[in-house]
């Protein structure tokens, strides 16, 4: 099976735009994938993440604090980028099954966070940038300007290869030894790198062809396939 392994940064406007572009390109060049796998748990996304994509999911005190600091339009754009990589594929491949790679993960540490914290944290990052650069937080250009520097200070994530192993188990029943078929897997970019125990290497060892797509600005293109050995 041919697997397009797409790596990006969570909650990134830049990567959100590029992911949609990449998926549309794949639709034109390869057609409909057998499935699309995403780095989320289905119930966790539905019960915890999805409500945080709406301003109404915030605590009332957070809503009141932010309502006079940023325009409704910009707030909605920020809300739309939260966990974008869990659902963007549905706008291009509505009929392809979604594989939730983190279905077996314990999310206890995240569930203890305050309601709406994912959205409010991103809003505050945008507002901090606006204040630093002297940009009106109600400006229509704010998000575009923020995108120019958004990934400059992204830290190096800690890689837990146990998750990569869990993901392969989650994919096991979906992967088929058919070179004519393809699937899409969307994860954090660090999991697409070469390295012992990472998803890219684990899938390659199973004999699948791997194409790597990076959503970050300097590498946002389809690289040469990783042919199985």
């Amino acid at each position: 099976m041919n697997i397009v392994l797409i790596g990006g940064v969570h909650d990134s406007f830049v990567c959100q735009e590029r992911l949609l572009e990449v998926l549309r390109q794949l639709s034109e060049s390869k057609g409909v994938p057998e499935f699309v796998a995403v780095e989320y748990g289905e119930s966790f996304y539905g019960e915890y993440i999805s409500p945080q994509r709406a301003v109404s999911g915030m605590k009332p005190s957070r809503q009141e604090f932010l309502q006079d600091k940023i325009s409704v339009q910009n707030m909605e754009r920020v809300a739309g980028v939260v966990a974008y990589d869990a659902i963007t594929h549905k706008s291009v491949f509505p009929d392809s099954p979604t594989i939730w790679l983190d279905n077996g993960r314990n999310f206890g540490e995240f569930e203890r966070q305050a309601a709406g914290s994912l959205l409010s944290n991103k809003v505050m990052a945008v507002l901090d940038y606006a204040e630093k650069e002297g940009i009106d937080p109600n400006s229509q250009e704010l998000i575009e300007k923020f995108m120019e520097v958004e990934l400059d200070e992204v830290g190096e994530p800690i890689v837990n290869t146990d998750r990569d192993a869990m993901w392969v188990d989650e994919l096991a029943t979906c992967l088929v030894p058919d070179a004519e078929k393809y699937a899409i897997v969307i994860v954090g970019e660090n999991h697409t790198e070469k390295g012992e125990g990472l998803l890219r290497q684990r899938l390659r060892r199973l004999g699948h062809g791997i194409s790597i797509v990076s959503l970050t600005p300097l590498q946002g293109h389809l690289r040469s396939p990783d042919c199985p050995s």
Side-chain angles (χ1 to χ4, degrees):
M1 193 171 202
N2 289 303
I3 300 172
V4 179
L5 190 57
I6 302 176
V9 176
H10 302 304
D11 300 347
S12 161
F13 294 106
V14 173
C15 293
Q16 180 186 36
E17 282 194 356
R18 297 190 71 87
L19 177 60
L20 188 57
E21 293 173 2
V22 167
L23 294 176
R24 287 171 174 167
Q25 291 169 2
L26 289 171
S27 176
E28 294 176 1
S29 64
K30 290 179 172 288
V32 179
E34 296 298 308
F35 63 83
V36 180
V38 297
E39 191 182 341
Y40 293 86
E42 183 173 15
S43 62
F44 181 70
Y45 177 83
E47 297 172 11
Y48 178 75
I49 301 290
S50 184
Q52 299 211 42
R53 291 175 55 84
V55 177
S56 59
M58 288 184 181
K59 284 185 174 182
S61 59
R62 290 177 183 264
Q63 293 185 46
E64 184 177 353
F65 175 74
L66 292 172
Q67 65 182 0
D68 296 326
K69 298 183 181 298
I70 189 170
S71 69
V72 173
Q73 181 183 13
N74 285 337
M75 177 73 87
E76 289 177 349
R77 286 201 63 184
V78 177
V81 81
V82 173
Y84 72 91
D85 44 343
I87 59 173
T88 298
H89 65 283
K90 280 300 181 183
S91 65
V92 182
F93 303 114
D95 299 323
S96 293
T98 299
I99 306 300
W100 301 87
L101 295 174
D102 272 342
N103 269 349
R105 185 182 180 190
N106 182 350
F107 287 95
E109 69 274 23
F110 295 104
E111 292 171 340
R112 289 190 289 270
Q113 294 180 7
S117 58
L118 296 179
L119 174 53
S120 60
N121 288 345
K122 189 68 177 182
V123 171
M124 291 308 301
V126 173
L127 288 175
D128 287 346
Y129 167 77
E131 182 178 7
K132 178 182 176 182
E133 298 298 323
I135 300 174
D136 181 353
N138 297 315
S139 168
Q140 294 183 356
E141 299 179 348
L142 174 59
I143 302 301
E144 281 66 29
K145 292 290 186 181
F146 179 76
M147 288 171 65
E148 295 175 3
V149 301
E150 180 183 36
L151 300 179
D152 289 353
E153 298 182 3
V154 174
E156 189 68 23
I158 298 174
V159 179
N160 178 0
T161 57
D162 289 343
R163 289 182 68 202
D164 297 73
M166 182 182 73
W167 294 345
V168 172
D169 290 341
E170 200 69 38
L171 291 168
T173 59
C174 307
L175 299 172
V176 295
D178 187 339
E180 298 300 315
K181 294 183 177 182
Y182 95 102
I184 298 171
V185 177
I186 305 169
V187 292
E189 187 161 31
N190 51 307
H191 295 281
T192 70
E193 301 297 328
K194 291 182 178 179
E196 185 65 30
L198 294 177
L199 184 60
R200 171 177 175 173
Q201 179 226 46
R202 290 177 185 273
L203 292 173
R204 188 169 180 270
R205 280 184 175 174
L206 292 176
H208 300 286
I210 309 294
S211 296
I212 307 297
V213 180
S214 171
L215 301 178
T216 55
L218 296 180
Q219 304 180 69
H221 59 278
L222 184 63
R223 302 207 288 265
S224 299
D226 230 357
C227 298
S229 54

